[in-house]
Amino acid sequence: MSIVYPRRPIRALVALLCCSVSACSSLPHSGPDAGQVVAGERKEALQIGFKIVNLDASSLPAGGAVALMSASQLTALDRPGRVDLIGPGDVLSITVFEVGVTLFGGSQSLGAAGGAVSGAAPDPTARAQSLNGVTVRDDGTIVLPYIGRLTATGHTSADLEKTIVQRLRGLSQSPQVLVAVAQNVHNTVLVSGYVARPGRQQLSLERERLLDAIAAAGGVGTLGGPENTVVRVRRGGEFAEAYLAAVESGGAGDIILLPGDRIDVIRRPRTFEVFGAANKVAQVPFPSASLSLAEAIAQAGGPDDNRANPTAVFVFRDNAPPPDVQGQSRAALAGSPMVYRLDMDKPSSYFLAQRFAMRDKDVIYIANAKINQTRKLIELFNLLFTPVFTVKATVSN
């Protein structure tokens, strides 16, 4: 006896199988497979200008951080300068010493027995008068009694002492003068941003460096760390910046500070993103100053065994310079966006992944395996038809 199958279920099954190919593309997925990445974006590649290359020894990009963010920019700001000159805003303390008949009617006698210098005979007529709180005006001058207006800006304390003594000759007997900067405003730098104690710092004749000022401001702390912190120095009409981790103590980037420098400490975490058939889709911060592709893939949990195509691990890199760079320099530094493909089925690729240096804002995409969509379609069929078969078997029993 022959078995006759109902025609309608067979026709429905045939129709369903015919639609399975188009259904695969309609199923949810985390991104394109390798063929879609390579072939499906040719038109966009021409417009944007990006290139897709297989990662091997010849195509391995140069390692290390982007040259723009190295300490070499700070070195370009280094120039000679002085930190002992008086400037506008400084508050001076001026002491005038006189003997005999005094101009200032001194408040302190230097001729008393207790004030005598060992081995020197005291002069009972010697007097000292202190002029405190003498502020250098915006035009760089100061005004003193019996002397008038003097130019102070651009001179040292010793220069100003000589000038005042010359002005007092003929008015006072054997005048001597001491000038001290009581409040230094001109020879200072300003430290702001991501430091424990922002504010103005006074420069000394020891010639403080960039890292000295950051340390005096309390440093950047443990949150973020120097690998994720940018230091920006503004000097005159110029500025330069570098990651703090790239500035070596006493090195060329650790420049000697000059009056008027502004130091901005900016928290700028370096991160990379992971998408596709990875075990963890996330934005991941750099844990250290340098990070290899192998370490980055490991931090993302590696490819998913059930979904990923290990022959198609892509790194998307935009070689455009940071937005702070303007004009022709930005255009000169710009490079073509690149897409690097790593085949993890090849043993040599693991050596390449260790030598491939990740950069800030790189994107890792692990392509889906083509069989993944077929598997999803089968799971969908099981989800749809298993309840029907279960009910039919229950009714038959």
Side-chain angles (χ1 to χ4, degrees):
M1 181 179 64
S2 60
I3 300 174
V4 179
Y5 293 96
R7 293 183 178 180
R8 290 184 179 178
I10 293 177
R11 291 177 179 175
L13 181 60
V14 171
L16 190 60
L17 291 175
C18 292
C19 294
S20 61
V21 176
S22 60
C24 285
S25 61
S26 301
L27 290 173
H29 56 286
S30 58
D33 58 32
Q36 292 170 328
V37 172
V38 176
E41 288 290 298
R42 290 178 179 173
K43 182 178 180 181
E44 290 295 328
L46 293 175
Q47 293 179 351
I48 299 177
F50 71 86
K51 301 177 181 178
I52 301 177
V53 297
N54 293 321
L55 191 59
D56 54 28
S58 62
S59 61
L60 189 68
V66 181
L68 184 67
M69 293 304 296
S70 68
S72 60
Q73 274 198 97
L74 297 175
T75 306
L77 291 182
D78 194 18
R79 58 181 63 107
R82 301 181 64 172
V83 295
D84 59 346
L85 301 180
I86 298 171
D90 287 347
V91 179
L92 308 180
S93 175
I94 302 175
T95 303
V96 180
F97 301 90
E98 302 175 283
V99 294
V101 179
T102 64
L103 281 173
F104 295 95
S107 59
Q108 179 182 0
S109 173
L110 301 181
V117 179
S118 178
D123 189 333
T125 64
R127 295 288 187 273
Q129 177 64 48
S130 295
L131 305 175
N132 298 319
V134 179
T135 303
V136 181
R137 301 181 179 183
D138 291 340
D139 60 359
T141 64
I142 59 174
V143 177
L144 298 178
Y146 303 106
I147 296 176
R149 189 179 300 274
L150 295 174
T151 299
T153 294
H155 298 285
T156 64
S157 298
D159 295 335
L160 192 57
E161 290 171 356
K162 294 179 182 179
T163 301
I164 295 175
V165 169
Q166 291 174 355
R167 290 290 189 92
L168 287 175
R169 284 175 181 168
L171 301 176
S172 176
Q173 183 178 349
S174 300
Q176 297 185 40
V177 177
L178 290 178
V179 175
V181 180
Q183 185 177 346
N184 199 334
V185 176
H186 176 67
N187 294 303
T188 59
V189 297
L190 187 64
V191 183
S192 61
Y194 189 66
V195 290
R197 296 186 297 274
R200 191 177 296 275
Q201 296 181 16
Q202 181 176 329
L203 299 177
S204 69
L205 296 179
E206 291 185 3
R207 308 308 304 268
E208 287 80 5
R209 292 178 175 267
L210 175 60
L211 294 183
D212 297 332
I214 295 176
V220 299
T222 57
L223 183 62
E227 296 84 8
N228 294 300
T229 303
V230 169
V231 55
R232 177 182 295 166
V233 179
R234 295 185 181 274
R235 176 170 290 177
E238 302 177 74
F239 80 90
E241 60 181 23
Y243 278 106
L244 187 57
V247 182
E248 297 182 4
S249 178
D254 191 14
I255 59 176
I256 296 176
L257 298 177
L258 297 179
D261 285 349
R262 298 182 66 92
I263 303 169
D264 300 318
V265 181
I266 307 164
R267 186 168 182 265
R268 188 182 295 172
R270 296 184 302 156
T271 60
F272 65 93
E273 290 74 36
V274 183
F275 297 99
N279 278 305
K280 182 176 67 174
V281 176
Q283 183 184 54
V284 185
F286 277 54
S288 59
S290 60
L291 182 72
S292 69
L293 175 57
E295 293 170 323
I297 294 174
Q299 288 198 11
D304 190 322
D305 291 341
N306 298 319
R307 300 183 295 127
N309 178 4
T311 68
V313 176
F314 296 93
V315 178
F316 291 78
R317 173 169 294 172
D318 187 359
N319 287 314
D324 290 331
V325 181
Q326 302 294 331
Q328 296 181 353
S329 59
R330 177 178 173 86
L333 290 169
S336 300
M338 297 293 295
V339 181
Y340 299 96
R341 178 176 179 173
L342 181 71
D343 184 354
M344 298 187 69
D345 275 352
K346 296 180 179 179
S348 61
S349 295
Y350 291 84
F351 293 104
L352 294 172
Q354 294 179 47
R355 300 175 184 177
F356 186 99
M358 295 292 292
R359 294 186 182 178
D360 188 24
K361 302 304 179 287
D362 277 352
V363 175
I364 297 176
Y365 174 73
I366 302 177
N368 285 278
K370 288 185 177 180
I371 194 65
N372 185 39
Q373 294 300 92
T374 305
R375 179 182 60 81
K376 287 184 178 180
L377 185 61
I378 294 173
E379 291 176 354
L380 180 60
F381 288 163
N382 290 335
L383 181 64
L384 292 175
F385 292 108
T386 297
V388 176
F389 295 145
T390 303
V391 172
K392 183 177 181 182
T394 303
V395 171
S396 298
N397 292 335

